Amino acid sequence: MASRADNIASNLNLGNFAKATELKQRIWFTIGALVVFRFLSFVPLPGVNPLILGELYDQTRGTILDMFNAFSGGALSQMSIIALGVMPYITASIVVQMASALHPTLSALKKEGASGRQKLNQYTRYGTVFLCAIQGYFLAVGLETYAAQSGLAAVVNPGYMFRIGAVINLVGGTMFLLWLGEQITSRGIGNGVSLIIMAGIVSQFPTFATNLFEGGRTGSIAPAIIIGFIVMVVILILGISFMERAQRRLLIQYPKRATQNGMMQADRSHLPLKINTAGVIPPIFASSLLLLPLTISSFAGNSVDSDSTFGGAILWLNQYLAHGQPVYMLLYAIGIIFFCFFYTAVVFNPEETADNLKKNGGFIPGIRPGKRTADYLEYVLTRITVVGAIYLTLVCVIPEYMIAQTGIPLFLGGTSLLIVVNVTVDTISQVQSHLLAHQYGDLIKKAKLKGRMR
C-alpha cells in the first residue's frame, strides 16, 4: 500500500520541471562536479610515465584491485592523483562510528548535536589523511617494484622524493574529492560521496560491455555465459529495486479527539521500517575494510622477502584473500552481515522512537507505550534486518563468486549494481521531493493571491 506522499509524487507533472529553477541549478551543479571528478581521474601522478601504466596494471588484472579501480572510476589503472578515491574516507568513517558506539567520550560527542557531529567529522578527516598516507606510500613503493621487475620505467626518478610527492598528491586528491562530495550534498542533488562512487562505477560500464561482447566475438567467452550474465544483471536490478522499496509498516494509533462537528475520531498512521535499513553501507564498508590490507599487500608483495615472517604473511594475504577464494568470500559475507546490524542500530533508535510516540500520544495496538513499545520495535527491526542481511549477502556474494569462476571482469558484480541502483533510486526520490516542494510552493502562492483579491 503506497503512502500519501508516494501517491502525490507519482502524480507529479514533469512539465513543472522547467519551472523549478532551483532544481535545475542543483542538477547542473551535480553534473558539473561529476565532470570535474572524471577529469581528475586522467591526471597522472607527477613523476609517472602514463604510457607504461597500462602494461603494468595488466600484471595485476583479475585481482581485488579491479574492484578498487572500479570504485575510483579507473583512476587506479591510470595512477592519477585520485587513485585512492574515497575509500580511505569510508574506512575512517567506519572506525569513527564504531568508536563512537563503544567509547563513552565519543558517544557523548555524538549526542551533542551539530557541534558533536562536526567534531566527529573532523576526527574522520584526520583518519582519512592517515590512511591515505599509508596506502599512498605502499602504492608508490609497489609501483617502483613492479617497474623494476618488468623492466618498464614507469617512474622517471624512483626514490624517496617520488614517494613523498606521491603521498602528498594522493592525500590532496582524496581530500579534494571529499570537499567535492560535500559541495554536491549541500548545493546539488543526492549524497555527494555516494554519487562519486556511482559515477566511477558507471564510467566503467562501456569498457565492460566492449570487453564482454568482444570476448563473445573472439570466442574467449561462450555465448551462453554472455546471455546468462545479461539475464542475471536484469534479475539483480529488478530484485534490488523491489527490495529497496520494501518496508514493514507498523500501525500507529492515536487517542480519540473531538472534531468540529463534535464527533470523536481516532487518528491512525503508519511507522515504515525498511527491510534494508542500512542501504548500500554494509557492502561498501565490508569491501573497504578488505581493500585496505589487500591494497597494501598487493603492492608490497613483490618487494618483501618470502622467507621472513612478514613476507610470508603478505604472500598468505595475496593468495588466500584473492577474489573468488573461499576465505575472501567468507570474510566479505561476515562483514556485510555485521555492518547490516551495526549500521541499523546506529541510524534507528527504538527507545527514542518509543519516547516520541509516547509524547505525541501514539501507541501500537496491543503494545503498552514506553519500554514495551521499544522492545517490540527492536524485535521487529531485528527480524527484518535478518531478511535484509540475507538479501544483501546473496546479491553481493553470489554474483562475485560467479564472476570469479567465469573470468568476467570484476567491476560489474552485485556490489556495483547495488550501489548504482540504490544511489539512482535515492537521487530520483530527492528530485521528486524538490518537485513536490515546488508544486506546494505554487499552491501557496495561488492561495495568497486569492486571499489578497478578496
Side-chain angles (χ1 to χ4, degrees):
M1 179 179 178
S3 63
R4 184 178 301 176
D6 290 336
N7 291 330
I8 295 176
S10 61
N11 294 327
L12 284 175
N13 183 10
L14 293 180
N16 295 329
F17 180 80
K19 303 177 183 178
T21 306
E22 181 185 359
L23 177 60
K24 289 192 296 182
Q25 292 176 351
R26 286 179 173 271
I27 293 177
W28 281 115
F29 181 85
T30 302
I31 295 175
L34 294 179
V35 169
V36 171
F37 160 68
R38 292 301 303 148
F39 275 134
L40 289 177
S41 64
F42 295 96
V43 180
L45 283 172
V48 172
N49 186 353
L51 300 177
I52 308 297
L53 293 178
E55 300 180 24
L56 289 178
Y57 185 76
D58 288 338
Q59 298 178 8
T60 60
R61 191 174 300 276
T63 64
I64 190 64
L65 293 180
D66 285 349
M67 180 182 291
F68 202 112
N69 186 54
F71 286 167
S72 63
L76 181 63
S77 61
Q78 298 161 3
M79 208 57 64
S80 75
I81 58 176
I82 58 170
L84 297 180
V86 295
M87 300 309 289
Y89 169 75
I90 295 174
T91 306
S93 64
I94 297 171
V95 176
V96 172
Q97 287 189 11
M98 294 182 66
S100 63
L102 300 175
H103 197 274
T105 304
L106 296 179
S107 180
L109 280 176
K110 188 178 179 180
K111 297 178 181 178
E112 289 182 1
S115 61
R117 288 194 298 269
Q118 185 176 2
K119 196 69 174 178
L120 291 176
N121 289 335
Q122 187 176 1
Y123 292 154
T124 304
R125 292 186 179 93
Y126 290 154
T128 303
V129 173
F130 175 73
L131 293 177
C132 281
I134 294 177
Q135 288 182 288
Y137 178 79
F138 280 100
L139 191 148
V141 172
L143 192 61
E144 293 176 350
T145 304
Y146 279 125
Q149 291 183 350
S150 61
L152 302 174
V155 180
V156 179
N157 293 314
Y160 282 102
M161 292 304 298
F162 166 72
R163 299 174 188 178
I164 294 174
V167 169
I168 293 174
N169 281 276
L170 290 172
V171 170
T174 297
M175 298 310 293
F176 178 80
L177 286 185
L178 294 185
W179 176 84
L180 192 66
E182 292 177 354
Q183 297 303 309
I184 294 175
T185 302
S186 60
R187 302 172 59 183
I189 296 292
N191 184 280
V193 175
S194 299
L195 280 173
I196 288 176
I197 296 176
M198 187 196 76
I201 296 173
V202 171
S203 66
Q204 302 297 301
F205 280 4
T207 303
F208 162 76
T210 302
N211 294 337
L212 184 65
F213 290 109
E214 180 65 19
R217 187 184 68 82
T218 59
S220 59
I221 302 177
I225 295 179
I226 297 177
I227 296 174
F229 188 78
I230 294 175
V231 172
M232 183 190 72
V233 169
V234 173
I235 293 176
L236 279 176
I237 293 176
L238 294 176
I240 292 171
S241 301
F242 174 78
M243 290 298 295
E244 292 303 320
R245 300 291 291 178
Q247 56 184 223
R248 169 74 184 275
R249 305 181 68 192
L250 298 179
L251 177 63
I252 305 297
Q253 190 168 348
Y254 292 91
K256 294 182 178 181
R257 300 173 183 176
T259 61
Q260 294 180 352
N261 299 328
M263 300 179 61
M264 303 298 289
Q265 183 178 0
D267 294 333
R268 290 186 176 184
S269 65
H270 292 87
L271 176 64
L273 299 178
K274 289 188 62 177
I275 300 298
N276 181 25
T277 306
V280 298
I281 298 300
I284 292 179
F285 277 12
S287 59
S288 63
L289 283 183
L290 285 175
L291 285 174
L292 176 61
L294 289 176
T295 304
I296 297 174
S297 64
S298 296
F299 282 105
N302 294 328
S303 60
V304 297
D305 184 10
S306 59
D307 296 331
S308 63
T309 304
F310 177 74
I314 293 294
L315 295 178
W316 185 90
L317 282 175
N318 292 336
Q319 179 180 359
Y320 290 98
L321 290 185
H323 179 258
Q325 294 296 321
V327 178
Y328 167 79
M329 293 296 178
L330 179 62
L331 291 178
Y332 191 34
I334 292 175
I336 291 175
I337 294 173
F338 170 77
F339 284 114
C340 272
F341 286 93
F342 174 77
Y343 197 76
T344 300
V346 170
V347 300
F348 187 87
N349 189 346
E351 295 181 357
E352 182 179 353
T353 305
D355 291 339
N356 292 333
L357 288 176
K358 186 176 181 180
K359 291 177 182 178
N360 295 322
F363 62 93
I364 300 175
I367 307 296
R368 296 180 61 182
K371 188 177 183 305
R372 292 290 184 87
T373 300
D375 294 339
Y376 179 75
L377 290 175
E378 185 175 1
Y379 169 74
V380 174
L381 191 65
T382 302
R383 294 179 65 187
I384 64 176
T385 304
V386 170
V387 179
I390 295 174
Y391 143 71
L392 284 180
T393 304
L394 294 178
V395 166
C396 296
V397 174
I398 293 181
E400 300 289 347
Y401 179 77
M402 294 176 62
I403 290 173
Q405 297 300 316
T406 57
I408 297 177
L410 169 65
F411 52 78
L412 193 62
T415 306
S416 302
L417 286 176
L418 181 69
I419 294 173
V420 171
V421 174
N422 254 292
V423 176
T424 302
V425 170
D426 180 67
T427 304
I428 292 176
S429 299
Q430 292 201 25
V431 171
Q432 288 181 341
S433 299
H434 282 281
L435 287 175
L436 186 61
H438 183 267
Q439 181 175 338
Y440 277 142
D442 290 343
L443 292 176
I444 293 174
K445 290 180 181 179
K446 291 179 181 180
K448 288 182 178 180
L449 290 175
K450 291 181 180 179
R452 290 177 183 175
M453 292 178 61
R454 291 177 182 175

